Amino acid sequence: MALGRFKRIFCDDDGMTLIEVVVAASILFIIMTGVLGLLGRTMMMGAEAKQINVTNNAVSSYIEWARSLPFVTVASIEATTVVNEEYTVTIEPTVQDGDNAALKNVYLSVTTTRVDGFSKVSNLMVVIRDRDQHLTAATRSPGTDPKIRFVSPTPPDGTAVWLAGDGVSYWRDSGGTEHQLTLQLETSAVSPRTVDEVSIWCDDAFTLEDMLGTSAIWPTPSWTTLPTSFAWNLNQLDVEGAPRVDEGLRSVAVYVRDSAGVKVYDLRQYVVDNRAPDVAPSPLTYASPGSMSGALTWDPVLDGTSWAYGYEVELRRHDAGQITPDPLVTWTLVSGYSGSATTFDVPAAPFTQYVAQVRAYSPLGHQTDWTAIAPFVTRPLLTGSYAVVKTTTGNSKGWTVTPTLSVTPPAFPTWEGSTSYAWYAGTTVVSTSTANTYTPPVVTAGDPKTNPFPTSTYSVKVTTQPKGDGVASTIVITSNAVTTVEHDSGTYTFGEGTW
């Protein structure tokens, strides 16, 4: 029974019931309410945008008009009103002096009123400059920037400075005369601007101080030249009592700011040199990959926060008769090296024994200890000649090459019987001897028209034990390699060849 009533209510197609009409109307009301609200908000946003646009146009026109006036009349500009069909814009100015006589700050109170009486007030400030006086524009240009520079008796750029035992900081001029470390400045501003502040900074990290703890900063807009020198104290301490001025290259910058806010600087760099470099250079090594002499090399070391100013090499040669165990006492001192490079080319003396040591030094000559001595031997030089015979006997033709070799013997004392020579043809050992000369087998070849010249390459490996070098170790060292070159019949000298 109930099911039948349900079917009659919801399945009959005789027409809409009252309930259906009410439900449909409710749904339509909800939809239209959202649409009308959205339409209203859209219209309101459009009106606000139009109001802002009208206001901006009116203010822009007013500012451009004010900037076009003679600068002397800007202070007396009056209010104005702009009216159109929908809005009335009223602009009321208040003029105040700017940072200098060529600037005016104009404060605007802007009221925008709709025809229905709704009003909105906004405020802004613009700067108007004297267009006839470009030198007062608060922008960077060579003609308007303030001036700042170091003047005498400020030490020249790159000077070494130090803290003496009396607590005073010094520097030394080119003539060797010592002076107290003072910085003299000269600064000025372009009228009508004035100097607002001068300060001196170290590495842009902290301001300098003198021995009384007074910081090098002067908020003095009235003066144009620093009246007194500033005596920099290299013994500045931070709040925890630790030194602030590090050893090494320091950048000292002096800044000036004028009343328009433009800031410029001058820069000097000084080497703070109170002590020797941090450590002696190491390791000191010798290598001869491409010559008989080779080169000494070592790692650079720091002197505070900068690399050491220079290095000194002492080179001693082991000559005949110098057999005491202390080479630094008896060996022959030869020309060393002093400079900033971390390599030193050893003199080209073949098969010679040396000891070397190196130390680092600062600009004022503070030196580290010497490194431990590094003994080394330069490579032996292989020389000689070869005779070339080009033969023609009847129908038989050929080459005959007869070489003669000689290698530099040790130029230093050696233990008796410790020196031997292994002679190489190419990579093959062809003979060993205790003499430093050798005649390899004759090389022959057939018909020169059909056979190339019989090229051969020779070298020698020397084994020996230096005597009295304090090391007493056996060394094995290889000479250069020499090669025969095609020639007509005759005797020719080997070139130096390759190392």
Side-chain angles (χ1 to χ4, degrees), residues 314-335 351-357 373-378 411-415 465-473 475:
E314 185 179 85
L315 191 66
R316 291 180 177 270
R317 187 179 63 240
H318 192 186
D319 292 332
Q322 300 169 337
I323 58 175
T324 61
D326 188 355
L328 296 181
V329 174
T330 60
W331 289 18
T332 303
L333 179 65
V334 297
S335 298
F351 216 7
T352 301
Q353 187 181 29
Y354 296 93
V355 289
Q357 53 183 359
I373 62 170
F376 62 92
V377 176
T378 58
F412 47 90
T414 59
W415 291 101
Q465 184 177 357
K467 186 177 183 180
D469 64 351
V471 179
S473 58
I475 60 173

Side-chain angles (χ1 to χ4, degrees), residues 237-244:
L237 304 177
D238 60 19
V239 293
E240 298 179 352
R244 302 197 74 166

Side-chain angles (χ1 to χ4, degrees), residues 202-221:
C202 180
D203 296 333
D204 277 339
F206 56 88
T207 55
L208 274 56
E209 292 181 359
D210 61 18
M211 294 184 66
L212 299 178
T214 304
S215 294
I217 181 167
W218 299 271
T220 52

Side-chain angles (χ1 to χ4, degrees), residues 55-351:
T55 302
N56 288 343
N57 289 339
V59 170
S60 296
S61 298
Y62 184 81
I63 293 172
E64 289 302 317
W65 166 78
R67 285 176 171 166
S68 67
L69 296 174
F71 188 73
V72 294
T73 66
V74 172
S76 58
I77 58 175
E78 299 179 349
T80 189
T81 300
V82 180
V83 181
N84 64 22
E85 295 179 355
E86 299 181 60
Y87 297 95
T88 299
V89 181
T90 302
I91 303 174
E92 298 181 357
T94 301
V95 182
Q96 297 180 2
D97 292 335
D99 289 339
N100 58 59
L103 300 175
K104 295 292 184 183
N105 296 330
V106 180
Y107 297 86
L108 301 179
S109 176
V110 184
T111 303
T112 305
T113 306
R114 288 202 307 253
V115 292
D116 60 2
F118 175 80
S119 297
K120 184 175 182 180
V121 179
S122 56
N123 298 282
L124 71 155
M125 189 273 285
V126 295
V127 177
I128 297 180
R129 292 187 172 89
D130 183 358
R131 294 188 177 186
D132 295 330
Q133 194 175 86
H134 301 288
L135 294 181
T136 60
T139 56
R140 292 295 308 274
S141 89
T144 62
D145 289 348
K147 304 297 187 295
I148 187 74
R149 66 190 184 103
F150 290 102
V151 295
S152 181
T154 304
D157 196 49
T159 301
V161 297
W162 72 93
L163 182 68
D166 58 2
V168 180
S169 302
Y170 290 95
W171 66 283
R172 185 179 296 126
D173 64 24
S174 58
T177 303
E178 295 183 358
H179 306 272
Q180 185 175 357
L181 178 56
T182 56
L183 306 176
Q184 179 79 20
L185 314 177
E186 186 174 275
T187 183
S188 62
V190 178
S191 179
R193 301 185 192 179
T194 57
V195 173
D196 255 7
E197 183 180 270
V198 174
S199 56
I200 312 177
W201 291 73
C202 180
D203 296 333
D204 277 339
F206 56 88
T207 55
L208 274 56
E209 292 181 359
D210 61 18
M211 294 184 66
L212 299 178
T214 304
S215 294
I217 181 167
W218 299 271
T220 52
S222 61
W223 53 262
T224 57
T225 302
L226 191 64
T228 58
S229 298
F230 182 79
W232 184 19
N233 175 25
L234 294 177
N235 195 32
Q236 280 186 241
L237 304 177
D238 60 19
V239 293
E240 298 179 352
R244 302 197 74 166
V245 185
D246 291 329
E247 189 88 352
L249 187 65
R250 306 271 67 85
S251 295
V252 177
V254 55
Y255 291 92
V256 59
R257 188 184 69 236
D258 68 10
S259 55
V262 177
K263 192 175 186 179
V264 298
Y265 71 95
D266 193 14
L267 180 69
R268 294 278 175 97
Q269 289 188 316
Y270 300 116
V271 181
V272 179
D273 188 15
N274 293 318
R275 63 176 189 268
D278 300 343
V279 295
S282 65
L284 178 60
T285 58
Y286 170 79
S288 57
S291 70
M292 86 176 84
S293 57
L296 288 163
T297 58
W298 56 91
D299 292 338
V301 298
L302 286 172
D303 187 1
T305 61
S306 307
W307 294 116
Y309 182 74
Y311 304 89
E312 181 181 0
V313 176
E314 185 179 85
L315 191 66
R316 291 180 177 270
R317 187 179 63 240
H318 192 186
D319 292 332
Q322 300 169 337
I323 58 175
T324 61
D326 188 355
L328 296 181
V329 174
T330 60
W331 289 18
T332 303
L333 179 65
V334 297
S335 298
Y337 163 79
S338 180
S340 60
T342 57
T343 183
F344 169 60
D345 292 329
V346 177
F351 216 7

